[in-house]
Amino acid sequence: MKNATIQKRPRQRLSGIDPRRKRVADEVRACIARSGNSRAAVEDAIGISQSALSRKLRAESAFTVDELLGLAAFLDVEASEFFPKERAR
């Protein structure tokens, strides 16, 4: 087996927030708003602090897969709703 070189993506682009992370955060925020649940209820449901949820909703840090799956179950939505389709240019 050949040694594979894995390139890591930068955590944050030099020009600001990663646009993909922002789209996911926007969709999560919209799903929370539509559900009528408080942020405190969301924090409890997925086991993160208020400050961590705030950073994630501002797209300063990324949601983990487990957090997104937990959110989907708590909000009774498909996890795919958090990933908007790319629009044709």
Side-chain angles (χ1 to χ4, degrees), residues 24 28 42-48 56 62-75 77 79 82-83:
V24 170
V28 168
V42 170
E43 294 155 10
D44 289 342
I46 61 173
I48 63 173
K56 291 168 190 289
F63 284 96
T64 66
V65 171
D66 288 340
E67 289 165 346
L68 290 173
L69 292 174
L71 272 169
F74 177 70
L75 299 174
V77 298
F82 301 140
F83 301 94

Side-chain angles (χ1 to χ4, degrees), residues 14-76:
L14 295 176
S15 62
I17 302 294
D18 184 318
R20 294 167 297 187
R21 188 187 306 161
K22 180 163 181 357
R23 284 193 301 273
V24 170
D26 290 346
E27 293 301 321
V28 168
R29 192 179 318 101
C31 285
I32 292 170
R34 284 192 299 269
S35 76
N37 287 294
S38 69
R39 285 192 180 181
V42 170
E43 294 155 10
D44 289 342
I46 61 173
I48 63 173
S49 68
Q50 181 274 328
S51 60
L53 181 61
S54 291
R55 281 191 307 276
K56 291 168 190 289
L57 292 176
R58 288 191 309 264
E60 293 173 359
S61 65
F63 284 96
T64 66
V65 171
D66 288 340
E67 289 165 346
L68 290 173
L69 292 174
L71 272 169
F74 177 70
L75 299 174
D76 196 27

